[in-house]
Amino acid sequence: VRASGARQDTGSFDPIAAVFDRYAEPTGGPLDDYLLGVLPERGPRAVDLGCGSGRHASLLASRFRQVLGVDVSEPMLAIARGRRAHPNVSYQRRDLRDVRAETDGRFDLVFSAYALHHVPDLQETLRGIRALLAPRGRVVLVDVVAHRPDVPRRWFAAQAIRTVLTDLAGRRRPPGEALELFRVNVHPAWLDHVTADRFLRRDEFVERYGSVFPGARFHDLYRTRALCWDAPPA
Ligand SMILES: C[S@@+](CC[C@H](N)C(=O)[O-])C[C@H]1O[C@@H](n2cnc3c(N)ncnc32)[C@H](O)[C@@H]1O
């Protein structure tokens, strides 16, 4: 289901774009809080690699003069253009590995959330991402980590039940939103998708990302790990 080495592979989000978008907003809070603190207040150019349905576009658009969002999935981009259009955001259907300084210029922020576990050539991709940074530019990369690379379906199903019970008992979310999230979490297409994903362990994430971005700051957000690294001056 994951994006293969072939550049024409559209990935697996095409059939689940709408389901994913329903999932994205109610679960975005912790990452949004982290991003508010870590993203530069303002800057000329930002790129969102694997932007999906444009969940982060508003924040990026409010801080950067020009934002490029790339994704291989046209259905995801259609939602982004329909629901999260901004005059200074350009959504383009492209493989994130094809964004290059030679053709796209350099960026003051390179951002990616939950997309890099889909690329088969992670180290090469990370080196490419580093090459996109302008002097003193910042990279913020976020992805899912797990205690084992293939998380079984029953774990996701059990987690969906734990989440809805905690949401309702602790009034963590409005009941309607908690039930909607539960429906998404147990949607067969969503379960098929997440069980086919393969993730790094936390220590592997630090080792592999840290080898390309030495001295990076890491931050844990539930089942995800985030990296923040600043490029040196020219
Ligand atoms: C889990 S979604 C995350 C979307 C968005 N970043 C967010 O946080 O809501 C992963 C996205 O990565 C995209 N993707 C996977 N492989 C890609 C690639 N090689 N180039 C560009 N996008 C890719 C998928 O199409 C999907 O939209």
Side-chain angles (χ1 to χ4, degrees), residues 2-4 6-7 9-14 20-21 23-24 31 48-56 70-74 76-77 92-98 111-121 143-144 190 193 197:
R2 291 185 302 159
S4 77
R7 296 289 160 117
D9 190 333
T10 55
S12 61
F13 281 78
D14 291 5
F20 178 81
D21 196 52
Y23 174 87
L31 176 57
D48 183 351
L49 301 171
C51 64
S53 53
R55 170 180 12 170
H56 306 290
V70 301
D71 203 284
V72 286
S73 169
E74 188 52 45
M76 293 288 265
L77 290 168
Q92 298 180 7
R93 184 174 179 214
R94 294 169 62 182
D95 193 301
L96 66 88
R97 293 167 291 174
D98 293 336
F111 171 69
S112 181
Y114 314 127
L116 293 177
H117 64 275
H118 292 285
V119 299
D121 44 358
D143 210 348
V144 179
W190 178 247
H193 177 86
D197 277 341

